[in-house]
Amino acid sequence: DIQLTQSPSFLSASVGDRVTITCRASQGISSYLAWYQQKPGKAPKLLISAASTLQSGVPSRFSGSGSGTEFTLTISSLQPEDFATYYCEKLNGYPLTFGGGTKVEIK
Amino acid sequence: EVQLVESGGGLVKPGGSLRLSCAASGFTFSTYSMNWVRQAPGKGLEWVSSLSSDSNYIFYTDSVKGRFTISRDNAKNSLYLQMNSLRAEDTATYYCARSTYSNSYLFEYWGQGTLVTVSS
């Protein structure tokens, strides 16, 4: 089965910072990757599909890129409401797999 | 407005059974694939099971095969997860999630989750 490895697992950043999270797949998955945001005590929220397609209503400061085995989620200017845990998910078939998560905390 | 409301969680002893339900509203339930995703306390997300709109395609993660059964009742706009032979490692918040219309692997809408605790 294909594994997803996110890095870092934790990062501390300030409001206004540019933040980049990486998700690496153990095998190539083309652009079949999604990103989710989860805030404490809440359900995850879909941010990006197909590696780079922003979901409706998601702020443009979020962007995704990559293909094959390496993907990135970038927040261009971190806002207070962006402090959360972010997960990647592969979309190229079952079993579905999530990365281990990246927790973004306030510095 | 799409709403997914899970119920049925609780405390159960190892080896016991539990049936989770997910009541859906705000969309045409019968046309979407549905899923269960779980999250152990303080841990990451884990896909559990998926079911196509017509119930013809069913998928499970390996750790629950033979113990969990996903089903749906399109007339009642409801999704279910029958969980048998429960283990301590099944302790988690279980989320019901709706796929997108065009991609059954994407989780577009999520419920608030229901907590299952397996402990003696």
Side-chain angles (χ1 to χ4, degrees), chain A:
Chain A
D1 295 344
I2 296 173
Q3 308 300 317
L4 296 179
T5 303
Q6 284 185 237
S7 60
S9 54
F10 172 88
L11 74 86
S12 182
S14 300
V15 172
D17 284 354
R18 180 181 181 89
V19 167
T20 298
I21 298 168
T22 297
C23 178
R24 290 188 174 87
S26 58
Q27 299 174 40
I29 56 172
S30 186
S31 296
Y32 297 116
L33 191 98
W35 290 96
Y36 297 84
Q37 175 194 65
Q38 186 180 32
K39 297 182 179 179
K42 300 294 186 182
K45 173 187 176 182
L46 177 61
L47 297 178
I48 289 171
S49 62
S52 61
T53 302
L54 210 62
Q55 295 303 112
S56 174
V58 175
S60 59
R61 63 181 179 272
F62 289 91
S63 64
S65 65
S67 68
T69 61
E70 187 153 335
F71 303 85
T72 59
L73 171 69
T74 299
I75 309 172
S76 60
S77 177
L78 200 63
Q79 297 302 300
E81 60 268 30
D82 301 336
F83 291 95
T85 301
Y86 294 86
Y87 296 92
C88 56
E89 181 213 354
K90 74 168 189 70
L91 304 173
N92 69 332
Y94 298 101
L96 301 177
T97 306
F98 291 93
T102 296
K103 186 174 184 179
V104 178
E105 287 201 343
I106 302 173
K107 182 182 287 184

Side-chain angles (χ1 to χ4, degrees), chain B residues 24 27-34 52-55 72-75 77-78 101:
Chain B
F27 64 101
T28 306
F29 181 75
S30 61
T31 61
Y32 289 86
S33 292
M34 296 296 295
S52 63
S53 58
D54 57 9
S55 299
R72 64 193 295 161
D73 185 336
N74 287 343
N77 291 340
S78 294
Y101 186 76

Side-chain angles (χ1 to χ4, degrees), chain B residues 72-93:
Chain B
R72 64 193 295 161
D73 185 336
N74 287 343
K76 294 184 177 179
N77 291 340
S78 294
L79 177 73
Y80 306 101
L81 186 67
Q82 177 67 43
M83 303 186 296
N84 299 331
S85 303
L86 282 161
R87 306 167 180 167
E89 54 264 36
D90 295 318
T91 294
T93 294

